[in-house]
């Protein structure tokens, strides 16, 4: 059973059966304005912030057959009334002759045929714009003329998305709608909570005269809402009621008589859903996008954006699935996670005070630097504003208000209010930015720390470099009994929450990696004192890790507050954790023999055909002393599930020790593109990485959930491009150091780097996994494997021969 196929030529995935196991989605626009379009046309749209400025009411928990946020109804005039159906299949569920949902880059196009009417709807947000456009084309493919009406509809939410569900008196008392009709019959139907009526209105409008409209859900569905979305009673009347709602559940439905369409004839309609201060303010742009040619042009601009975005790095390897992923789907997912952090998906609902995650976004930045370094820098700057003056950071923040919070630790009285990893990730993001762009001036930019006075003015500011130093010092001075970093409320693994005093091996290794970056930076900046200081910090931590944390065959993961290890063979459950091993290698803490032994233990104890489990064996019951991990059954999420984010770290570690065959085996077994073949088991979209897959301790082994917004995207992209294909930006230039399957003969990469294009051809005549024998740049052999910075806007040929180093 398959639900669709990849069309790489058009950079689309095409869903051909609308009854997918769960909704499959696409993202349109950005967090500034945009949201989710599901594969049956439903939409969750917001502007600036899903928590405080949400526009459509989309309830993911409702069954897939239900109306969610928006739809389009068509009705065909018949002798005895109307045939009403949705060309999106949902919510009317009529039998279809054709159904295709083209999941494209920044747009979704639904093509369907019902009752011999072919409908093609392209849904997108123009670049940098504040409106969702639906370009609707309807063709009569029957041999009879048909009289047709089109009724696009939106259901609104209160902008405060949580209040919508929390207060069913206040919200409906405030919700209002008002219609603006011009002489030609065009209608702008606005909606707002009363308090926003002069400042912020939502609207639905079109480019075709509207014969009537509805703004009240009860009237639209009819019979006190015993009419349904599948069969709204009002659509069996000639006209809607033209009611301007003064309270209640607000919708916008616009009834257009499109007239009689002859066989083979096509008619069209363009709708816009947007938000602005007022109708007057919105009108110029509304008029602009009422023009079909303009809409066409804007779609071309969107395609051009993606051409440019993707052209920054294109690969040609012997593996078709890797090519599809690295050339299209993985960078698109990285773009999405950079935009939405963990804020809004079908699984992360963006209600309340969740906001942008500090650690998540810091890692997301690393996935987009090839294509969007400027945007990466802006996000880094935003993140640094929620770093505290002691060097630690707030855990999450709201991007509209820049108010930050301490995440889940707020809910546990007496628990430490910081996470031991947050502030360290940003160091990796900043140094990655510097290496990608060479823009060292960024280090001197002054950014405030989070603490404010009574007037909300920052108490202290510091340069970016100062922020980095303080992050290091925070970990350096917050260590426990073994001299390892204190866990705080948690580290990367949010769900292991131990007593104050517990230590984290992961934080130790992340600290080690951050120190390596700081040493390299200090060296590059010519600061021998900092080099010496951080080298001492690094050496001391390395020594402590190897002294205390080596368990015989692998590294333990935590020391609890009483000093007992977690992630040790002495434990009954949770004996081995993947992160304890991968990060000991990434940090360089593990000497070669321990590195190999630990990674072999991962292969033996944690690897499955669906990916590497986070840990094993799973805990069998709730244990408040361990925290959230024990709320899951064995095999789910952080309790022995395949938490995909961690898999690329093992891949990276394997490339560091030179095992390209195993790295690639791990890479391939989680490649979502390959999941199209086992989709009944996998269930989620095969065009993006999910956050989690059920592990082999769970009866539904292989089932994916929480697609799209996962750090897997950024790390898998880094693992694929920088570690397997081995093209890594450094301060001095682009390093070429592949670690590939020995059987590969060759591969090619085109990569733009600091204003030049590098055309890289790698040959592997000796069939090694790793090792560079020679590098020629523009026909001349160079010493080493770092290709210099050209910055001349030109193309440069790089020929690499792999083999045993001379
Ligand atoms: C999802 C969270 O967004 C991320 O920050 C965390 O690292 C993982 N869960 C693991 O707990």
């Amino acid at each position: 059973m398959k639900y669709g196929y990849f069309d790489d030529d058009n950079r689309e995935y095409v869903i051909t059966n609308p009854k997918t196991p769960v909704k499959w989605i696409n993202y349109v626009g950005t967090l500034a304005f945009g949201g989710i379009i599901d594969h049956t046309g439903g939409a969750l749209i917001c502007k600036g912030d899903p928590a405080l400025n949400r526009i459509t009411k989309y309830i993911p928990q409702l069954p897939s057959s239900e109306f969610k946020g928006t739809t389009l109804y068509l009705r065909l005039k018949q002798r005895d009334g109307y045939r009403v159906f949705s060309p999106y299949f949902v919510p009317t569920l009529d039998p279809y002759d054709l159904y295709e949902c083209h999941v494209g880059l920044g747009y979704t196009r639904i093509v369907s045929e019902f009752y011999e009417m072919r409908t093609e709807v392209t849904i997108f947000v123009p670049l940098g714009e504040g409106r969702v456009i639906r370009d609707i084309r309807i063709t009569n493919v029957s041999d009879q003329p048909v009289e047709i009406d089109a009724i696009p509809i939106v259901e609104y939410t209160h902008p405060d998305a949580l209040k919508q569900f929390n207060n069913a008196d206040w919200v409906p008392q405030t919700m209002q709608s008002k219609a603006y009709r011009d002489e030609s019959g065009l209608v702008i139907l606005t909606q707002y909570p009363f308090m926003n009526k002069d400042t912020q209105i939502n609207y639905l409008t079109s480019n075709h005269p509207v014969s009537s409209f509805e703004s009240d859900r009860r009237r639209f569905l009819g019979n006190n809402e015993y009419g349904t979305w599948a069969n709204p009673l009002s659509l069996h009347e000639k006209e809607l009621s033209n009611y301007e709602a003064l309270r209640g559940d607000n919708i916008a439905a616009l009834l257009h008589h499109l007239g009689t369409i002859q066989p083979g004839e096509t008619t069209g309609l363009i709708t816009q859903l947007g938000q602005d201060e007022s109708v007057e303010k919105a009108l110029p742009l509304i008029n602009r996008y009422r023009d079909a040619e303009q809409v066409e042009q804007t779609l071309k601009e969107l395609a051009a954006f993606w051409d440019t975005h993707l052209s920054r790095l294109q690969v040609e390897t012997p593996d078709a699935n890797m090519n599809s992923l690295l050339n299209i789907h993985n960078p698109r997912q990285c773009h999405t996670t950079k935009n939405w952090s963990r804020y809004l998906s079908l699984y992360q609902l963006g209600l309340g005070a969740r906001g942008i995650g500090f650690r998540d976004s810091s890692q997301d930045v690393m996935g987009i630097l090839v294509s969007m370094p400027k945007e990466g820098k802006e996000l880094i700057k935003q993140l640094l504003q929620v770093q505290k003056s002691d060097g630690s950071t707030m855990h999450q923040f709201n991007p509209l208000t820049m108010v930050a919070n301490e995440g889940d630790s707020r809910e546990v009285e007496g628990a430490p209010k910081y996470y031991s990893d947050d502030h360290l990730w940003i160091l990796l993001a900043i140094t990655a930015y510097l290496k990608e762009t060479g823009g060292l001036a960024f280090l001197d930019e002054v950014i405030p720390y989070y603490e404010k006075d009574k007037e909300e003015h920052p108490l202290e500011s510091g340069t970016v470099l100062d922020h980095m130093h303080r992050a290091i010092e925070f970990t350096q001075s917050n260590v426990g009994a073994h001299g390892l970093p204190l866990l705080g409320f948690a580290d990367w693994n949010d769900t292991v929450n131990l007593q104050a005093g517990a230590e984290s091996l992961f934080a130790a290794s992340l600290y080690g990696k951050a120190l390596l970056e700081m040493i390299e930076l200090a060296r590059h900046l010519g600061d021998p004192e900092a080099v010496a200081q951080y080298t001492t910090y690094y050496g001391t931590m390395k020594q402590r890790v190897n002294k205390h944390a080596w368990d015989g065959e692998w590294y333990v993961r935590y020391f609890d507050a009483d000093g007992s290890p977690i992630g040790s063979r002495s434990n009954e459950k949770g004996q081995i954790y993947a992160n304890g091993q991968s990060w000991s290698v990434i940090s360089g803490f593990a000497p070669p023999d321990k590195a190999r032994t630990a990674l072999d233990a991962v292969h033996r104890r944690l690897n499955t055909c669906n990916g590497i489990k986070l840990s094993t064996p799973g805990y069998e019951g709730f244990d408040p002393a361990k925290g959230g991990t024990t709320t899951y059954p064995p095999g789910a999420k952080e309790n022995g599930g395949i938490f995909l984010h961690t898999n690329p770290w093992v891949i990276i570690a394997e490339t560091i020790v030179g095992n390209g065959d195993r790295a690639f085996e791990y890479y391939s077994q989680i490649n979502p593109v390959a999941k199209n073949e086992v989709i009944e088991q996998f269930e989620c979209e095969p065009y993006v990485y999910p956050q989690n897959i059920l592990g082999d301790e769970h009866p539904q082994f292989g089932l994916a959930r929480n697609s799209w917004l996962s750090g897997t995207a950024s790390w898998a992209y880094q693992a694929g491009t920088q570690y397997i294909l081995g093209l890594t930006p450094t301060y001095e230039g682009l390093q070429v150091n592949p670690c590939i399957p020995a059987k590969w003969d060759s591969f090619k990469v085109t990569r733009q780097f600091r204003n030049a294009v590098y055309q890289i051809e790698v040959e592997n005549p000796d069939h090694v996994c790793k090792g560079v024998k020679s590098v020629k740049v523009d026909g001349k052999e160079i010493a080493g494997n770092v290709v210099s910075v050209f910055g001349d806007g030109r193309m440069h040929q790089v020929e690499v021969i792999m083999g045993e180093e001379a």
Side-chain angles (χ1 to χ4, degrees), residues 50-122:
L52 298 179
N53 193 4
R54 191 175 295 216
I55 298 174
T56 59
K57 188 197 285 175
Y58 187 107
I59 307 177
Q61 295 95 335
L62 291 176
S64 296
S65 54
E66 295 281 321
F67 170 89
K68 295 183 184 183
T70 67
T71 195
L72 169 68
Y73 293 98
L74 299 180
R75 63 179 197 178
L76 313 180
K77 185 105 189 295
Q78 300 191 316
R79 225 173 283 136
D80 50 351
Y82 296 102
R83 180 184 287 289
V84 178
F85 67 95
S86 171
Y88 301 157
F89 183 59
V90 171
T92 56
L93 310 181
D94 289 72
Y96 55 86
D97 295 316
L98 173 78
Y99 188 87
E100 286 177 358
C101 174
H102 296 243
V103 181
L105 299 173
Y107 69 89
T108 284
R109 179 173 296 125
I110 295 178
V111 182
S112 65
E113 278 180 33
F114 291 83
Y115 307 113
E116 299 182 292
M117 298 304 292
R118 182 185 170 91
T119 312
E120 194 176 312
V121 184
T122 307

Side-chain angles (χ1 to χ4, degrees), residues 563-588:
S564 54
I566 295 175
S568 153
R569 60 194 158 159
S570 63
N571 298 124
E572 194 196 333
K573 305 288 178 189
Q575 289 174 344
I576 171 169
Y577 283 73
N579 291 347
Q581 321 322 317
S582 53
W583 274 90
S584 302
V585 177
I586 294 171
S587 62

Side-chain angles (χ1 to χ4, degrees), residues 9 20 245 312 335 337 391 416 424 458-459 483 576 617 628 643 646 666 708 734 743 746 792:
D9 289 344
T20 51
R312 311 267 320 173
H335 179 266
T337 56
L424 296 170
L459 288 174
I576 171 169
F643 210 102
T646 63
Y666 288 156
W708 284 93
L734 192 63
K743 68 170 190 227
S746 61
D792 56 4

Side-chain angles (χ1 to χ4, degrees), residues 704-715:
R705 280 296 181 270
N706 208 339
S707 50
W708 284 93
L709 300 186
S710 164
T712 317
S714 168
W715 282 105

